[in-house]
Short mmCIF file of all heavy atoms in Angstrom, two decimals:
data_model
loop_
_atom_site.label_atom_id
_atom_site.label_comp_id
_atom_site.label_asym_id
_atom_site.label_seq_id
_atom_site.Cartn_x
_atom_site.Cartn_y
_atom_site.Cartn_z
N LEU W 1 0.83 -1.21 0.00
CA LEU W 1 0.00 0.00 0.00
C LEU W 1 0.86 1.26 0.00
O LEU W 1 0.54 2.24 -0.67
CB LEU W 1 -0.94 0.00 1.21
CG LEU W 1 -2.10 -1.00 1.16
CD1 LEU W 1 -2.78 -1.09 2.52
CD2 LEU W 1 -3.10 -0.62 0.09
N GLU W 2 1.96 1.22 0.74
CA GLU W 2 2.86 2.37 0.77
C GLU W 2 3.47 2.63 -0.61
O GLU W 2 3.56 3.78 -1.06
CB GLU W 2 3.97 2.13 1.79
CG GLU W 2 4.89 3.33 1.98
CD GLU W 2 5.93 3.10 3.07
OE1 GLU W 2 6.91 2.39 2.79
OE2 GLU W 2 5.73 3.59 4.19
N ALA W 3 3.86 1.55 -1.31
CA ALA W 3 4.43 1.71 -2.65
C ALA W 3 3.42 2.33 -3.60
O ALA W 3 3.76 3.16 -4.45
CB ALA W 3 4.89 0.34 -3.18
N ILE W 4 2.15 1.97 -3.44
CA ILE W 4 1.09 2.46 -4.33
C ILE W 4 0.70 3.91 -4.02
O ILE W 4 0.51 4.72 -4.92
CB ILE W 4 -0.15 1.55 -4.23
CG1 ILE W 4 0.16 0.16 -4.79
CG2 ILE W 4 -1.36 2.15 -4.94
CD1 ILE W 4 -0.89 -0.88 -4.46
N TYR W 5 0.58 4.23 -2.73
CA TYR W 5 -0.01 5.52 -2.35
C TYR W 5 0.98 6.60 -1.95
O TYR W 5 0.69 7.78 -2.10
CB TYR W 5 -1.02 5.32 -1.21
CG TYR W 5 -2.30 4.66 -1.67
CD1 TYR W 5 -2.48 3.28 -1.55
CD2 TYR W 5 -3.31 5.41 -2.27
CE1 TYR W 5 -3.65 2.68 -1.98
CE2 TYR W 5 -4.48 4.81 -2.71
CZ TYR W 5 -4.64 3.45 -2.57
OH TYR W 5 -5.79 2.85 -3.01
N GLU W 6 2.14 6.21 -1.43
CA GLU W 6 3.10 7.21 -0.94
C GLU W 6 3.45 8.27 -2.00
O GLU W 6 3.48 9.46 -1.69
CB GLU W 6 4.36 6.50 -0.43
CG GLU W 6 5.46 7.43 0.06
CD GLU W 6 5.07 8.26 1.26
OE1 GLU W 6 4.24 7.81 2.08
OE2 GLU W 6 5.59 9.39 1.38
N PRO W 7 3.69 7.86 -3.27
CA PRO W 7 4.05 8.89 -4.27
C PRO W 7 2.94 9.90 -4.55
O PRO W 7 3.19 10.95 -5.14
CB PRO W 7 4.35 8.05 -5.53
CG PRO W 7 4.67 6.68 -5.02
CD PRO W 7 3.80 6.50 -3.83
N THR W 8 1.71 9.59 -4.13
CA THR W 8 0.58 10.48 -4.44
C THR W 8 0.18 11.36 -3.26
O THR W 8 -0.67 12.23 -3.40
CB THR W 8 -0.66 9.65 -4.86
OG1 THR W 8 -1.18 8.94 -3.73
CG2 THR W 8 -0.32 8.66 -5.96
N PHE W 9 0.78 11.15 -2.09
CA PHE W 9 0.41 11.94 -0.91
C PHE W 9 0.92 13.37 -1.03
O PHE W 9 1.93 13.63 -1.69
CB PHE W 9 0.97 11.30 0.37
CG PHE W 9 0.26 10.05 0.81
CD1 PHE W 9 0.93 9.09 1.56
CD2 PHE W 9 -1.06 9.81 0.47
CE1 PHE W 9 0.28 7.93 1.97
CE2 PHE W 9 -1.72 8.66 0.88
CZ PHE W 9 -1.04 7.72 1.63
N SER W 10 0.23 14.28 -0.37
CA SER W 10 0.59 15.69 -0.41
C SER W 10 1.94 15.95 0.25
O SER W 10 2.30 15.31 1.24
CB SER W 10 -0.49 16.50 0.33
OG SER W 10 -0.04 17.82 0.56
N GLU W 11 2.66 16.93 -0.30
CA GLU W 11 3.95 17.31 0.29
C GLU W 11 3.76 17.97 1.66
O GLU W 11 4.71 18.13 2.43
CB GLU W 11 4.70 18.27 -0.65
CG GLU W 11 3.97 19.59 -0.87
CD GLU W 11 4.77 20.57 -1.72
OE1 GLU W 11 5.93 20.83 -1.36
OE2 GLU W 11 4.23 21.03 -2.73
N PHE W 12 2.52 18.36 1.96
CA PHE W 12 2.23 19.00 3.25
C PHE W 12 1.74 17.99 4.30
O PHE W 12 1.35 18.37 5.39
CB PHE W 12 1.17 20.09 3.07
CG PHE W 12 1.61 21.18 2.15
CD1 PHE W 12 1.12 21.26 0.85
CD2 PHE W 12 2.56 22.13 2.55
CE1 PHE W 12 1.53 22.26 -0.02
CE2 PHE W 12 2.98 23.13 1.68
CZ PHE W 12 2.47 23.19 0.39
N SER W 13 1.75 16.71 3.94
CA SER W 13 1.32 15.65 4.85
C SER W 13 2.55 15.05 5.53
O SER W 13 3.43 14.51 4.87
CB SER W 13 0.57 14.56 4.06
OG SER W 13 0.31 13.45 4.88
N HIS W 14 2.59 15.15 6.87
CA HIS W 14 3.78 14.71 7.60
C HIS W 14 3.50 13.58 8.60
O HIS W 14 4.42 13.11 9.27
CB HIS W 14 4.41 15.89 8.34
CG HIS W 14 4.97 16.93 7.43
ND1 HIS W 14 6.29 16.97 7.03
CD2 HIS W 14 4.37 17.99 6.80
CE1 HIS W 14 6.49 17.98 6.22
NE2 HIS W 14 5.34 18.63 6.06
N GLY W 15 2.25 13.17 8.73
CA GLY W 15 1.90 12.16 9.73
C GLY W 15 2.00 10.74 9.22
O GLY W 15 1.58 10.44 8.11
N PHE W 16 2.57 9.87 10.05
CA PHE W 16 2.63 8.43 9.76
C PHE W 16 3.30 8.11 8.43
O PHE W 16 2.85 7.24 7.68
CB PHE W 16 1.22 7.81 9.78
CG PHE W 16 0.41 8.17 10.98
CD1 PHE W 16 -0.80 8.84 10.85
CD2 PHE W 16 0.85 7.86 12.26
CE1 PHE W 16 -1.55 9.18 11.96
CE2 PHE W 16 0.10 8.19 13.37
CZ PHE W 16 -1.09 8.85 13.22
N ARG W 17 4.34 8.85 8.11
CA ARG W 17 5.05 8.61 6.84
C ARG W 17 6.54 8.50 7.09
O ARG W 17 7.08 9.19 7.96
CB ARG W 17 4.78 9.76 5.86
CG ARG W 17 3.35 9.85 5.39
CD ARG W 17 3.14 11.05 4.49
NE ARG W 17 3.84 10.90 3.22
CZ ARG W 17 3.98 11.89 2.33
NH1 ARG W 17 3.48 13.09 2.59
NH2 ARG W 17 4.60 11.68 1.20
N GLU W 18 7.18 7.63 6.32
CA GLU W 18 8.63 7.44 6.40
C GLU W 18 9.33 8.78 6.14
O GLU W 18 8.97 9.51 5.21
CB GLU W 18 9.06 6.43 5.33
CG GLU W 18 10.49 5.95 5.46
CD GLU W 18 10.65 4.74 6.36
OE1 GLU W 18 9.66 4.03 6.62
OE2 GLU W 18 11.77 4.51 6.79
N LYS W 19 10.31 9.09 6.98
CA LYS W 19 11.10 10.32 6.87
C LYS W 19 10.25 11.58 7.03
O LYS W 19 10.63 12.65 6.55
CB LYS W 19 11.86 10.36 5.53
CG LYS W 19 12.87 9.23 5.38
CD LYS W 19 13.56 9.27 4.03
CE LYS W 19 14.53 8.11 3.90
NZ LYS W 19 15.15 8.05 2.56
N HIS W 20 9.09 11.46 7.66
CA HIS W 20 8.26 12.62 7.97
C HIS W 20 7.93 12.58 9.47
O HIS W 20 7.81 11.51 10.06
CB HIS W 20 6.94 12.59 7.17
CG HIS W 20 7.12 12.86 5.71
ND1 HIS W 20 7.70 11.96 4.86
CD2 HIS W 20 6.79 13.94 4.96
CE1 HIS W 20 7.72 12.46 3.63
NE2 HIS W 20 7.18 13.66 3.66
N SER W 21 7.76 13.76 10.04
CA SER W 21 7.47 13.83 11.48
C SER W 21 7.03 15.24 11.82
O SER W 21 6.94 16.11 10.94
CB SER W 21 8.73 13.48 12.29
OG SER W 21 9.72 14.48 12.08
N CYS W 22 6.80 15.49 13.09
CA CYS W 22 6.51 16.86 13.55
C CYS W 22 7.66 17.79 13.18
O CYS W 22 7.45 18.96 12.84
CB CYS W 22 6.33 16.88 15.07
SG CYS W 22 4.88 15.98 15.63
N HIS W 23 8.88 17.27 13.22
CA HIS W 23 10.06 18.10 12.94
C HIS W 23 10.11 18.53 11.48
O HIS W 23 10.42 19.69 11.17
CB HIS W 23 11.33 17.35 13.33
CG HIS W 23 11.42 17.03 14.78
ND1 HIS W 23 11.66 17.98 15.75
CD2 HIS W 23 11.26 15.86 15.45
CE1 HIS W 23 11.66 17.42 16.93
NE2 HIS W 23 11.41 16.13 16.79
N THR W 24 9.79 17.61 10.57
CA THR W 24 9.80 18.00 9.15
C THR W 24 8.67 18.99 8.86
O THR W 24 8.82 19.88 8.02
CB THR W 24 9.66 16.77 8.22
OG1 THR W 24 8.44 16.08 8.50
CG2 THR W 24 10.84 15.82 8.39
N ALA W 25 7.55 18.85 9.58
CA ALA W 25 6.45 19.80 9.42
C ALA W 25 6.90 21.19 9.88
O ALA W 25 6.63 22.21 9.22
CB ALA W 25 5.24 19.35 10.23
N LEU W 26 7.60 21.26 11.01
CA LEU W 26 8.07 22.55 11.54
C LEU W 26 9.09 23.20 10.61
O LEU W 26 9.08 24.41 10.42
CB LEU W 26 8.67 22.35 12.93
CG LEU W 26 7.66 22.04 14.04
CD1 LEU W 26 8.37 21.60 15.31
CD2 LEU W 26 6.77 23.23 14.32
N VAL W 27 9.97 22.38 10.03
CA VAL W 27 10.96 22.91 9.08
C VAL W 27 10.25 23.49 7.86
O VAL W 27 10.58 24.58 7.37
CB VAL W 27 11.95 21.81 8.65
CG1 VAL W 27 12.80 22.27 7.46
CG2 VAL W 27 12.86 21.42 9.81
N GLN W 28 9.22 22.78 7.38
CA GLN W 28 8.47 23.28 6.22
C GLN W 28 7.74 24.58 6.54
O GLN W 28 7.72 25.51 5.74
CB GLN W 28 7.47 22.21 5.76
CG GLN W 28 6.79 22.56 4.44
CD GLN W 28 5.83 21.46 4.01
OE1 GLN W 28 4.97 21.04 4.77
NE2 GLN W 28 5.98 21.02 2.77
N ILE W 29 7.17 24.63 7.73
CA ILE W 29 6.49 25.86 8.16
C ILE W 29 7.48 27.04 8.22
O ILE W 29 7.20 28.12 7.71
CB ILE W 29 5.81 25.65 9.54
CG1 ILE W 29 4.58 24.76 9.39
CG2 ILE W 29 5.43 26.99 10.18
CD1 ILE W 29 4.02 24.26 10.70
N ARG W 30 8.64 26.80 8.82
CA ARG W 30 9.65 27.86 8.96
C ARG W 30 10.12 28.37 7.59
O ARG W 30 10.34 29.57 7.41
CB ARG W 30 10.84 27.32 9.75
CG ARG W 30 11.91 28.39 10.06
CD ARG W 30 13.07 27.79 10.80
NE ARG W 30 13.76 26.79 9.98
CZ ARG W 30 14.69 25.97 10.44
NH1 ARG W 30 15.03 25.99 11.72
NH2 ARG W 30 15.29 25.10 9.64
N ASN W 31 10.24 27.47 6.63
CA ASN W 31 10.79 27.83 5.33
C ASN W 31 9.76 28.39 4.34
O ASN W 31 10.13 29.12 3.42
CB ASN W 31 11.49 26.62 4.70
CG ASN W 31 12.73 26.21 5.47
OD1 ASN W 31 13.29 26.99 6.22
ND2 ASN W 31 13.14 24.97 5.30
N THR W 32 8.50 28.03 4.51
CA THR W 32 7.51 28.40 3.49
C THR W 32 6.37 29.29 3.98
O THR W 32 5.77 30.01 3.19
CB THR W 32 6.90 27.14 2.83
OG1 THR W 32 6.26 26.34 3.84
CG2 THR W 32 7.97 26.31 2.14
N PHE W 33 6.06 29.24 5.27
CA PHE W 33 4.94 30.04 5.79
C PHE W 33 5.47 31.35 6.39
O PHE W 33 5.17 31.71 7.52
CB PHE W 33 4.16 29.26 6.85
CG PHE W 33 3.35 28.12 6.31
CD1 PHE W 33 3.97 26.97 5.85
CD2 PHE W 33 1.97 28.20 6.24
CE1 PHE W 33 3.23 25.92 5.35
CE2 PHE W 33 1.22 27.15 5.74
CZ PHE W 33 1.86 26.00 5.29
N THR W 34 6.26 32.07 5.60
CA THR W 34 6.98 33.23 6.15
C THR W 34 6.09 34.42 6.46
O THR W 34 6.45 35.28 7.25
CB THR W 34 8.09 33.66 5.17
OG1 THR W 34 7.50 33.85 3.87
CG2 THR W 34 9.18 32.60 5.08
N GLY W 35 4.90 34.52 5.83
CA GLY W 35 4.04 35.68 6.06
C GLY W 35 2.94 35.41 7.07
O GLY W 35 2.01 36.20 7.21
N VAL W 36 3.04 34.30 7.80
CA VAL W 36 1.97 33.89 8.72
C VAL W 36 2.37 34.20 10.16
O VAL W 36 3.49 33.95 10.58
CB VAL W 36 1.68 32.38 8.57
CG1 VAL W 36 0.60 31.93 9.55
CG2 VAL W 36 1.25 32.06 7.14
N ASN W 37 1.43 34.78 10.91
CA ASN W 37 1.69 35.11 12.32
C ASN W 37 1.05 34.13 13.29
O ASN W 37 1.52 33.95 14.42
CB ASN W 37 1.18 36.52 12.63
CG ASN W 37 1.96 37.58 11.87
OD1 ASN W 37 3.17 37.49 11.74
ND2 ASN W 37 1.26 38.58 11.35
N TRP W 38 -0.07 33.51 12.84
CA TRP W 38 -0.83 32.65 13.75
C TRP W 38 -1.04 31.26 13.13
O TRP W 38 -1.24 31.14 11.94
CB TRP W 38 -2.20 33.26 14.05
CG TRP W 38 -2.15 34.50 14.88
CD1 TRP W 38 -2.07 35.79 14.43
CD2 TRP W 38 -2.15 34.58 16.30
NE1 TRP W 38 -2.03 36.67 15.48
CE2 TRP W 38 -2.07 35.96 16.64
CE3 TRP W 38 -2.20 33.64 17.32
CZ2 TRP W 38 -2.05 36.40 17.96
CZ3 TRP W 38 -2.18 34.08 18.64
CH2 TRP W 38 -2.11 35.44 18.95
N PHE W 39 -1.01 30.25 13.98
CA PHE W 39 -1.38 28.90 13.58
C PHE W 39 -2.41 28.37 14.56
O PHE W 39 -2.31 28.61 15.77
CB PHE W 39 -0.16 27.96 13.59
CG PHE W 39 0.81 28.24 12.48
CD1 PHE W 39 1.87 29.13 12.66
CD2 PHE W 39 0.65 27.65 11.24
CE1 PHE W 39 2.75 29.41 11.63
CE2 PHE W 39 1.53 27.91 10.21
CZ PHE W 39 2.58 28.79 10.40
N VAL W 40 -3.41 27.70 14.04
CA VAL W 40 -4.46 27.13 14.90
C VAL W 40 -4.32 25.60 14.86
O VAL W 40 -4.36 24.99 13.80
CB VAL W 40 -5.86 27.54 14.41
CG1 VAL W 40 -6.93 26.90 15.30
CG2 VAL W 40 -6.01 29.05 14.39
N GLU W 41 -4.15 25.02 16.02
CA GLU W 41 -4.02 23.57 16.12
C GLU W 41 -5.41 22.94 16.13
O GLU W 41 -6.31 23.42 16.83
CB GLU W 41 -3.25 23.18 17.39
CG GLU W 41 -3.08 21.67 17.52
CD GLU W 41 -2.41 21.28 18.83
OE1 GLU W 41 -2.26 22.16 19.70
OE2 GLU W 41 -2.06 20.11 18.97
N GLY W 42 -5.57 21.88 15.38
CA GLY W 42 -6.85 21.16 15.38
C GLY W 42 -6.62 19.67 15.48
O GLY W 42 -5.51 19.18 15.23
N ASP W 43 -7.63 18.95 15.86
CA ASP W 43 -7.51 17.50 16.01
C ASP W 43 -8.84 16.85 15.65
O ASP W 43 -9.90 17.36 16.01
CB ASP W 43 -7.12 17.15 17.45
CG ASP W 43 -6.92 15.66 17.65
OD1 ASP W 43 -6.36 15.01 16.76
OD2 ASP W 43 -7.33 15.16 18.71
N ILE W 44 -8.78 15.75 14.92
CA ILE W 44 -10.00 15.00 14.62
C ILE W 44 -10.21 14.01 15.77
O ILE W 44 -9.41 13.09 15.96
CB ILE W 44 -9.91 14.25 13.28
CG1 ILE W 44 -9.65 15.25 12.14
CG2 ILE W 44 -11.18 13.46 13.01
CD1 ILE W 44 -9.38 14.60 10.80
N LYS W 45 -11.26 14.20 16.52
CA LYS W 45 -11.51 13.39 17.71
C LYS W 45 -11.75 11.93 17.33
O LYS W 45 -12.62 11.63 16.52
CB LYS W 45 -12.71 13.94 18.48
CG LYS W 45 -12.98 13.24 19.80
CD LYS W 45 -14.16 13.86 20.52
CE LYS W 45 -14.45 13.14 21.82
NZ LYS W 45 -15.63 13.70 22.51
N GLY W 46 -10.98 11.03 17.92
CA GLY W 46 -11.17 9.59 17.69
C GLY W 46 -11.09 9.21 16.22
O GLY W 46 -11.85 8.37 15.75
N PHE W 47 -10.14 9.81 15.49
CA PHE W 47 -10.08 9.60 14.05
C PHE W 47 -9.96 8.13 13.67
O PHE W 47 -10.74 7.61 12.87
CB PHE W 47 -8.92 10.40 13.45
CG PHE W 47 -8.71 10.14 11.98
CD1 PHE W 47 -9.71 10.40 11.07
CD2 PHE W 47 -7.51 9.63 11.51
CE1 PHE W 47 -9.53 10.16 9.72
CE2 PHE W 47 -7.32 9.38 10.16
CZ PHE W 47 -8.34 9.65 9.26
N PHE W 48 -8.97 7.44 14.24
CA PHE W 48 -8.77 6.03 13.89
C PHE W 48 -10.02 5.20 14.18
O PHE W 48 -10.37 4.31 13.42
CB PHE W 48 -7.58 5.46 14.67
CG PHE W 48 -6.25 5.73 14.05
CD1 PHE W 48 -5.57 6.91 14.30
CD2 PHE W 48 -5.65 4.80 13.21
CE1 PHE W 48 -4.34 7.17 13.74
CE2 PHE W 48 -4.41 5.04 12.63
CZ PHE W 48 -3.75 6.23 12.89
#
């Protein structure tokens, strides 16, 4: 499934992926979201 779907996932998706994590998300935010002052954290309750 990873071989089939991984190449199609969004570059902004960092969860549950090889070589992706909270840290890679933060690096992407620092490098690309330069004009943003606020971030709102959200969570899907009981997603799984």
